[in-house]
Amino acid sequence: PPPGLKERRPPTPPPGLKARRPPTPPPGLKRPRDEAPPATEAPDFEAAAAYGGSRPGFVFKTGDKGLGYYKDTVAPPKKKKKKKAVSFKPTEQTVDATATVSRVCDVLAAALRTPAAAAKKGPKALAMLTTIAAMPGGVTDGTAPLYMDALRLFAKNGAIPDGLAAPLGDLVEALGKADRTCFAIDDRVRVATWRLSCKTARVLRETDDTYDFCAQMKRVSRAIAALEPDASDAACERRDAVVHCLRSAWPAYESKKWAKTPVEAAVLACAEKRHVFDENQRRRIDRLTTQVKGRQRGLCKVETETYREAESTFHPMRDVRRKAE
């Protein structure tokens, strides 16, 4: 509009009336829209006498049409999308230890009825019990009797099935490291006894490591020092476990020099407490003590043969002189 005049606005409809809408097209037709002008395609070739710099989408070369910029027909490589790092946040899970241990003990009791099931399911059940016992809160006042019932299953059978000695020793070791206040007094003694019978005796039989052997013999020596005259079943089992450990360490005593000192000390400590053991155990200890003292006398034996008789003319250098001549 010319200066000084305002732009003319469309008339406002009177009140009560709405603004007129454009007519609706008949069905089958679409309302015309503002179509964008068709995009002009860039030419495939632009002649150039010399290189004038890089152009996006073109390559400077000599081709069929001469020297110039040709359209690049090679597609650019696709950019690889970066994979988002997946972060696993630790979640707190609450496990009912009593119910879990009870179910595993039921599975173990059912597996021990047949040798085939014991060999198949026994190691897994014992490994699960070991894992739970090693967890914080795995051994409580409610789970401790369940663990003891599982161990009594093996005590009733008398012999441990094949393939279960190692996992059973690991379970007993985990229970021995748990809170002792969760067990009754007799159960504490039984756990310590089973640690000697299973874990310690197995290490003494199988290890070739001096450190492991001496560490287990120290445990046996502490158990011997704690023996007292007691007629209870738990005390008798503990004394049997001590004798069993000594017999397990005896092959190493006979074959390895570094095993002699700890084994001899343990055997002689048992001989000093001979009155604590029963008659059968005393015979075993006396047999081991006799062999130990016999070996000690053999090491201290002095040769009593004379080097030369009184009236002999033999001289050790006589043959040497003859050979020299």
Side-chain angles (χ1 to χ4, degrees):
L5 296 177
K6 294 183 179 180
E7 184 178 0
R8 189 174 181 183
R9 297 180 180 178
T12 305
L17 295 177
K18 295 183 179 179
R20 293 182 64 184
R21 294 182 179 179
T24 306
L29 295 178
K30 294 183 179 180
R31 182 179 296 176
R33 296 181 180 178
D34 297 336
E35 296 181 356
T40 58
E41 296 183 358
D44 297 341
F45 171 73
E46 293 182 10
Y51 180 71
S54 62
R55 298 181 184 180
F58 286 86
V59 179
F60 183 78
K61 64 179 182 178
T62 302
D64 299 337
K65 300 179 181 180
L67 182 65
Y69 288 91
Y70 289 84
K71 190 173 182 180
D72 189 6
T73 58
V74 180
K78 295 182 179 180
K79 294 183 179 180
K80 295 182 179 179
K81 295 182 179 180
K82 294 183 179 180
K83 295 182 178 180
K84 296 182 179 180
V86 181
S87 60
F88 296 96
K89 297 181 180 179
T91 57
E92 296 182 359
Q93 297 181 356
T94 57
V95 179
D96 189 359
T98 304
T100 305
V101 173
S102 178
R103 288 196 298 269
V104 176
C105 290
D106 294 339
V107 172
L108 182 62
L112 291 178
R113 295 173 185 172
T114 58
K120 184 178 181 180
K121 297 182 179 180
K124 296 181 181 179
L126 290 174
M128 187 174 293
L129 290 177
T130 304
T131 304
I132 298 174
M135 292 171 56
V139 180
T140 59
D141 295 339
T143 59
L146 299 176
Y147 287 115
M148 297 305 299
D149 293 339
L151 295 179
R152 289 190 185 96
L153 295 174
F154 295 94
K156 290 179 181 179
N157 294 336
I160 300 175
D162 296 337
L164 298 184
L168 180 61
D170 296 338
L171 173 59
V172 173
E173 189 72 14
L175 293 178
K177 295 179 181 179
D179 187 9
R180 297 182 60 191
T181 58
C182 300
F183 297 93
I185 296 177
D186 292 341
D187 292 341
R188 295 178 196 173
V189 178
R190 285 192 172 88
V191 169
T193 302
W194 287 330
R195 288 182 75 183
L196 290 175
S197 300
C198 298
K199 184 71 174 181
T200 304
R202 181 169 61 89
V203 172
L204 293 175
R205 283 194 307 269
E206 300 175 358
T207 188
D208 288 331
D209 189 0
T210 309
Y211 178 79
D212 292 342
F213 187 89
C214 294
Q216 300 303 325
M217 287 306 302
K218 285 182 180 179
R219 179 180 291 182
V220 176
S221 300
R222 289 195 297 267
I224 295 171
L227 292 177
E228 294 181 357
D230 191 355
S232 62
D233 295 338
C236 293
E237 291 178 2
R238 190 167 182 79
R239 290 192 288 267
D240 282 333
V242 169
V243 177
H244 178 58
C245 289
L246 294 179
R247 295 181 64 186
S248 300
W250 196 255
Y253 172 76
E254 292 180 339
S255 60
K256 297 166 185 174
K257 294 182 178 180
W258 46 262
K260 291 184 177 180
T261 301
V263 175
E264 287 179 356
V267 170
L268 296 179
C270 279
E272 292 178 359
K273 288 199 170 186
R274 184 174 179 274
H275 62 283
V276 176
F277 298 90
D278 58 18
E279 192 64 28
N280 190 18
Q281 295 168 350
R282 287 175 191 172
R283 283 196 295 269
R284 296 179 181 178
I285 293 174
D286 291 344
R287 197 178 303 117
L288 297 177
T289 306
T290 303
Q291 295 181 18
V292 167
K293 290 185 176 180
R295 287 176 177 271
Q296 289 179 346
R297 292 192 192 99
L299 294 175
C300 300
K301 187 183 294 184
V302 179
E303 297 291 340
T304 57
E305 297 180 0
T306 57
Y307 181 74
R308 183 181 178 187
E309 295 180 2
E311 298 177 357
S312 175
T313 58
F314 170 76
H315 193 276
M317 295 298 293
R318 182 174 60 181
D319 296 334
V320 178
R321 290 176 185 175
R322 287 180 180 178
K323 290 179 181 179
E325 292 175 358

